[in-house]
């Protein structure tokens, strides 16, 4: 069974760097075709895809946030880390990590973690 | 690339809900649908336009026609109350695009 669980701070001050960790189980981050991504949802707004890292360490980012995002994985720890620099209140929302294969959809999702920038 | 969903859809129990997702040339895209119930993480309900996922009731179905994809929920139940989001993978702009989400209310 594939599971993902997010962890990180619940409150971050503006201009700081947000670091979120996704701990996965049920698969290896180095398995061919596998990817892990991050998606967020600000309160009352749409889902917003942020970043994706593939099994071969290829990374893609949301173009409008590319300069502020970094995604990395530690296969030995079964973890994927997302950093968001220079946060501001618009970065407030629930952040989800998601499992991805080359079929184009995200399934399953982690439970999500609420981050407030204030 | 923009996916347009109605902000809300309301139906009575037992009726059929149709949630639309519009986009230019969506007929060439693969559309996925997610259900997010209050306080829960999103769940993939329909992938690849019309493939209902394992464990999802047969009342849920997906389709596409012209510039619109549609998630149809037959015999709506109070347990179907959720926000529904469409998603495509688009190489022309943002790689992954979500619609604005539709809140399903059961009257």
């Amino acid at each position: 069974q594939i599971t993902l669980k997010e962890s990180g701070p619940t409150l971050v001050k503006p201009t700081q760097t947000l670091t979120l960790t996704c701990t996965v189980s049920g698969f290896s981050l180095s398995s061919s075709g596998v990817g892990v991504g991050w998606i967020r949802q600000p309160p009352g707004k749409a889902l917003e895809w942020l970043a994706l890292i593939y099994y071969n360490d290829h990374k893609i980012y949301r173009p409008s946030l590319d300069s502020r995002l970094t995604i990395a994985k530690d296969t030995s720890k079964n973890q994927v880390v997302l950093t968001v620099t220079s946060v501001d209140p618009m970065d407030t929302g629930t952040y989800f990590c998601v499992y991805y294969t080359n079929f184009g959809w995200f399934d399953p999702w982690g439970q999500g973690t609420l981050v407030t920038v204030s | 690339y923009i996916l347009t969903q109605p902000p809300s859809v309301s139906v009575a129990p037992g009726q059929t809900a149709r949630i639309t997702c519009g986009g230019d040339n969506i007929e060439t895209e693969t559309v996925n649908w997610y259900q997010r119930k209050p306080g829960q993480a999103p769940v993939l309900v329909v992938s690849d336009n019309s493939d209902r996922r394992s464990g999802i009731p047969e009342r849920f179905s997906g389709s596409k026609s012209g510039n619109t994809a549609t998630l149809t929920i037959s015999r709506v139940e109070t347990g179907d109350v959720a926000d529904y989001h469409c998603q495509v993978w688009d190489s022309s702009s943002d790689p992954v695009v979500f619609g604005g989400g539709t809140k399903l209310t059961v009257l």
Side-chain angles (χ1 to χ4, degrees):
Chain A
Q1 181 188 7
I2 292 172
T3 64
L4 309 96
K5 186 172 183 178
E6 306 86 350
S7 59
T10 57
L11 182 63
V12 184
K13 297 183 186 303
T15 75
Q16 290 185 337
T17 294
L18 168 65
T19 300
L20 296 170
T21 301
C22 176
T23 302
V24 308
S25 64
F27 69 99
S28 171
L29 292 170
S30 60
S31 296
S32 181
V34 163
V36 171
W38 287 91
I39 294 168
R40 72 181 180 185
Q41 186 169 28
K45 296 188 177 181
L47 293 167
E48 184 176 64
W49 170 79
L50 299 177
L52 182 62
I53 187 166
Y54 290 86
Y55 68 101
N56 58 2
D57 216 38
H58 179 61
K59 305 161 189 174
I60 53 174
Y61 296 101
R62 186 180 188 83
S64 59
L65 294 173
D66 183 286
S67 62
R68 297 175 53 214
L69 300 175
T70 301
I71 192 169
K73 64 182 174 74
D74 185 329
T75 302
S76 66
K77 293 183 178 179
N78 295 318
Q79 292 181 334
V80 173
V81 175
L82 178 75
T83 60
V84 185
T85 61
S86 304
V87 297
D88 76 5
M90 290 189 64
D91 294 308
T92 293
T94 300
Y95 286 71
F96 299 95
C97 65
V98 293
Y99 179 79
Y100 174 80
T101 57
N102 283 329
F103 295 112
W105 54 79
F106 303 101
D107 179 47
W109 296 51
Q111 64 187 20
T113 185
L114 177 61
V115 177
T116 301
V117 180
S118 179
Chain B
Y1 189 75
I2 296 173
L3 295 174
T4 302
Q5 297 183 238
S8 62
V9 168
S10 298
V11 295
Q15 299 303 302
T16 297
R18 294 179 178 85
I19 298 171
T20 58
C21 175
D24 288 343
N25 297 315
I26 201 171
E27 63 270 18
T28 65
E29 307 283 359
T30 296
V31 182
N32 307 303
W33 290 92
Y34 302 86
Q35 174 196 63
R36 186 179 184 197
K37 294 184 177 181
Q40 299 183 21
V43 171
L44 178 67
V45 293
V46 169
S47 60
D48 202 11
N49 303 318
S50 58
D51 290 340
R52 189 177 55 252
R53 304 298 293 180
S54 174
I56 302 302
E58 292 184 7
R59 301 182 294 103
F60 287 76
S61 63
S63 62
K64 256 189 338 183
S65 178
N67 283 337
T68 302
T70 302
L71 177 69
T72 300
I73 309 171
S74 304
R75 302 182 300 283
V76 167
E77 303 174 356
T78 55
D80 298 330
V81 167
D83 291 334
Y84 292 86
H85 305 264
C86 58
Q87 173 253 319
V88 302
W89 189 282
D90 182 77
S91 60
S92 65
S93 55
D94 289 342
V96 180
V97 180
F98 284 94
T102 297
K103 180 179 293 294
L104 176 66
T105 300
V106 180
L107 302 172

